[in-house]
Amino acid sequence: MTGNTPDTQGTDEFLLGLIRAAGLEKTFAEFPADVFAAIRGATQERDKLPACRVDSA
Amino acid sequence: MTELHWLTASDIAAAYAARKLSPVELLEALLARIAKLDPTLHAFTQLDADFAMDAARLAEHELFAGRSRGRLHGVPIGIKDIFDVAGLRTTCNSKLMLDHVATHDAHVVARLRAAGAIILGKLGTHEFAIGGPSFDLPFPPPRNPWNPDHHPGGSSSGSGAGIAAGLFPIALGSDSGGSVRHPASACGIMGLKPTYGLVSRTGVAPLSFTMDHVGPMARSAADVALLLCAIAGHDSRDPGSVASDQKGFGDDLSLDMRGMRVGFVRHFHEQDLTADPEVHAALERVAETFAAEGATISTVVLPPLNEFAGVCRVILGAEVWPIHAERLRSRAGDYGQLSRQRLMAGAFLSADDYLRAQKRRSEMIAAVDEAFRRVDILLTASALAPPCRIEDADMLAATHQLQAWTPFNVTGHPAVSVMAGVSRSGLPLSAQLVAPAFRDSLVLKSAAVYERSIEWHSLRPPV
C-alpha cells in the first residue's frame, strides 16, 4: 500500500493486485466503490498507528 | 407505586418479595407499552410474547411458592440480536442470517435463564454489530426515545432505546469499540463494558476476539451490578475468559469518596478531539460533583485518542476479516453497504500492521495501568456530542469518531457510561468512568455515588 487515497479513476495494477490477493475480484466487479472505501479505511487506520519499536520487549 | 414500566430491576425484585407485584402483572404492562411504542422505536427484532408470558406464569408460581431463584427471578430482559437464544433466530440484523435459529443459549443467556430472568426477545443492532445505523438491512434501525428523529447509538441500539423508553428494565449488549457505552450515552442510561475476560462471549457473534465484551445495560448502577452478578464468571469455552474471584457486584454500592483520587483525562475532549461545549460543561460538572463528595481531582494524560482509535480499528479489522472473508467474496450483495465497507477493510491490512498495533496496544495498557498507580478511577468523556439525526448520513459519518470508548476496548479496563445531563435540545449528555482491571465493583460504586448526587437518573424521555 502506498498510503495514497485511491479513487475509482485511479485504479492501477497495484490496487488490482491487492484486490486479487484478497480474493475480492468478484466483489470488486459488483461493488467497486465499496472495495475502494475499504482500502481507504484500512489506509487511514494504518496511518494513525504511531511509530513504535517492534524489535524489543 | 411508580408506573410499572419505570420500575428498575431492583425495584421489581423488592416488589415481588413484598408480594406487591406479580411477574404476570408486570409483563402485561410492559407488553402493552411495547405494543404502543415499538412501532416507532423499533427496539425489537423479535418479540417472543407468548414464551415470555409462559415464563412469567412459571416465575409467579415459583416466587409465590417461596422458591425464589434470586433477585432477577421474574425480571424481564431484552437480548441484543447477536446473542444466541435457543429457539429464536440470531439474525445479527443481516440477510445472511435470517434463517439461523439458535439451538443453544449463549453462555450468559443460559445463566440468566437459570437465574429466572424472563427473556422478552431479541433487540435491534447494527448488522453484525458493525454496519449501521443503516436503512438497507432486514430490520429498521432503532430510534432514540428522547427524540425519535435521532440516533440511539449503536451497535446495541435496541438495548439502549428499549431501556430508556421503559420497554424493559435491563438488557444485554456487546461492546467491541463502544457498542454498549454509545447507546447508553445517547439514550441517557448506564452501560458497562466489564473488564476483558470477566464475562463469557460463548454464543455471541464475534467481531474481535481480543476486544469483544458482553456488557450489562440498565437505568441504574444497582441494576447494572445486579445483571453483572448474574453473567460474570469463568467459561472454559471462551478462550478470553478469566477465572476471577470478583463476586457480589451488587451487594453494596456504598462508597465514601473522601480521599478517593479521580484522574480527569481532559485531553481526550479538549485537545485530541473537540467536544461539544455542552458536553465539555457536563464533564466539568461531573468532576465538581466528585470533588463535592470529597474526592481529589487531578489531570491525567494518556496516549492520544487518535492513536487508540487506530490501534482499535486495525486490530478489529484484522480479527473480523477472517470471520466474514468467504461470504464477502461470494455473497457481498447480501451485506448492507456499511458492513461491506467496514468488514472488507481487514482484507487490506497486513500482519505487520496487526503486530505493530498489538505492540502499541501493550504500551497503551501499561500507560493506563501506570495512571492507576496515581489515581483510583479515571473520568473521561463518553460521547463527545449529543446524538445526531439518524437520517443525516453526513452527520453520522462526521460524529462516528467523536467518542472516547475505544481506549478501553484496547486496554480491557472496565468502563461505564453514565448520564451527565440533558442538552438544550433535549438529548442526553454523558461521561465515562474507568477503573483498574477487575475492579468492576469500584467503577460501579463510583457510578452509584455520582447517580445519587445528581438528578439526571430520574429524568425520563418524553415517551
Side-chain angles (χ1 to χ4, degrees):
Chain A
M1 262 322 283
T2 60
N4 294 329
T5 301
D7 59 45
T8 51
Q9 312 303 313
T11 307
D12 59 19
E13 280 305 310
F14 179 74
L15 291 177
L16 289 174
L18 286 178
I19 292 163
R20 282 192 207 102
L24 287 168
E25 304 98 310
K26 176 174 178 282
T27 308
F28 179 61
E30 292 179 88
F31 303 103
D34 292 342
V35 174
F36 280 129
I39 294 173
R40 196 161 49 241
T43 305
Q44 288 169 350
E45 301 308 342
R46 176 190 298 110
D47 288 348
K48 287 181 191 166
L49 288 180
C52 64
R53 291 181 64 92
V54 291
D55 58 352
S56 63
Chain B
M1 185 184 284
T2 306
E3 290 175 288
L4 296 184
H5 55 265
W6 291 129
L7 292 177
T8 65
S10 305
D11 295 335
I12 292 165
Y16 288 164
R19 303 279 178 104
K20 291 181 177 174
L21 178 67
S22 85
V24 170
E25 180 186 5
L26 174 66
L27 184 61
E28 286 173 343
L30 295 185
L31 290 175
R33 188 159 176 88
I34 291 165
K36 177 183 169 192
L37 296 179
D38 207 46
T40 301
L41 296 177
H42 307 304
F44 283 89
T45 58
Q46 300 162 79
L47 174 65
D48 196 357
D50 291 342
F51 177 84
M53 188 53 76
D54 288 346
R57 290 193 187 101
L58 177 62
E60 187 158 311
H61 176 75
E62 291 177 340
L63 284 167
F64 290 176
R67 300 198 302 273
S68 173
R69 298 191 221 171
R71 295 174 66 210
L72 282 181
H73 199 173
V75 175
I77 184 169
I79 309 290
K80 183 178 183 179
D81 196 7
I82 67 166
F83 290 67
D84 284 342
V85 175
L88 294 183
R89 291 182 299 162
T90 308
T91 75
C92 301
N93 200 4
S94 178
K95 290 174 190 166
L96 292 147
M97 299 287 285
L98 282 179
D99 298 326
H100 175 71
V101 178
T103 55
H104 296 85
D105 284 334
H107 181 85
V108 288
V109 172
R111 290 181 76 116
L112 290 169
R113 275 199 214 275
I118 296 172
I119 294 166
L120 282 172
K122 308 297 285 293
L123 304 174
T125 171
H126 296 350
E127 186 177 27
F128 291 111
I130 194 169
S134 293
F135 293 86
D136 59 353
L137 302 176
F139 301 99
R143 300 289 182 135
N144 195 317
W146 292 84
N147 182 336
D149 290 335
H150 286 249
H151 185 21
S155 64
S156 307
S157 314
S159 307
I163 290 169
L167 306 188
F168 37 82
I170 52 177
L172 286 184
S174 67
D175 190 320
S176 308
S179 287
V180 159
R181 290 162 288 159
H182 186 192
S185 169
C187 294
I189 63 166
M190 196 173 290
L192 172 71
K193 183 207 76 63
T195 302
Y196 180 79
L198 186 65
V199 180
S200 166
R201 294 92 42 98
T202 301
V204 183
L207 271 181
S208 161
F209 69 91
T210 69
M211 288 191 296
D212 289 344
H213 300 69
V214 166
M217 301 169 73
R219 288 191 294 267
S220 72
D223 277 12
V224 170
L226 181 61
L227 186 48
L228 184 62
C229 280
I231 61 175
H234 182 245
D235 171 20
S236 59
R237 294 174 300 168
D238 177 353
S241 179
V242 172
S244 164
D245 58 1
Q246 277 200 99
K247 287 178 183 160
F249 302 98
D251 292 346
D252 180 9
L253 286 176
S254 62
L255 176 67
D256 186 348
M257 289 298 287
R258 287 175 295 183
M260 287 280 289
R261 300 165 300 169
V262 177
F264 193 178
V265 188
R266 285 190 166 89
H267 66 89
F268 279 180
H269 65 280
E270 290 181 349
Q271 295 164 24
D272 303 343
L273 293 169
T274 303
D276 179 281
E278 289 188 278
V279 172
H280 190 282
L283 288 166
E284 292 297 328
R285 288 196 299 270
V286 176
E288 289 163 9
T289 300
F290 281 128
E293 290 284 327
T296 58
I297 313 295
S298 61
T299 296
V300 163
V301 177
L302 298 178
L305 261 182
N306 70 328
E307 283 190 19
F308 277 114
V311 166
C312 180
R313 295 209 169 84
V314 166
I315 293 172
L316 191 150
E319 292 182 356
V320 77
W321 164 246
I323 298 168
H324 289 272
E326 281 313 308
R327 287 181 293 191
L328 283 164
R329 290 172 181 137
S330 61
R331 299 180 60 185
D334 286 338
Y335 286 87
Q337 185 179 38
L338 273 179
S339 302
R340 203 161 46 231
Q341 293 179 353
R342 291 175 181 172
L343 292 170
M344 279 194 299
F348 304 103
L349 294 167
S350 68
D352 178 72
D353 298 328
Y354 183 71
L355 290 172
R356 280 199 301 130
Q358 288 287 16
K359 179 65 170 32
R360 182 59 180 145
R361 178 188 206 174
S362 66
E363 296 166 354
M364 290 169 149
I365 293 169
V368 177
D369 284 341
E370 176 62 25
F372 280 124
R373 293 165 66 92
R374 301 187 302 277
V375 300
D376 298 300
I377 62 168
L378 295 174
L379 164 63
T380 83
S382 183
L384 272 68
C388 68
R389 295 174 71 85
I390 197 167
E391 295 187 24
D392 187 337
D394 292 338
M395 275 302 289
L396 285 171
T399 57
H400 182 61
Q401 303 207 26
L402 287 179
Q403 46 89 359
W405 306 304
T406 53
F408 307 106
N409 294 90
V410 169
T411 69
H413 293 86
V416 67
S417 181
V418 298
M419 187 177 185
V422 178
S423 72
R424 283 189 296 276
S425 57
L427 293 162
L429 306 170
S430 58
Q432 180 170 236
L433 305 174
V434 187
F438 296 103
R439 299 291 307 281
D440 300 64
S441 56
L442 177 60
V443 83
L444 289 174
K445 287 179 179 183
S446 305
V449 167
Y450 174 68
E451 181 183 72
R452 282 195 296 272
S453 305
I454 47 87
E455 73 275 24
W456 307 120
H457 72 281
S458 61
L459 294 181
R460 301 284 176 249
V463 288

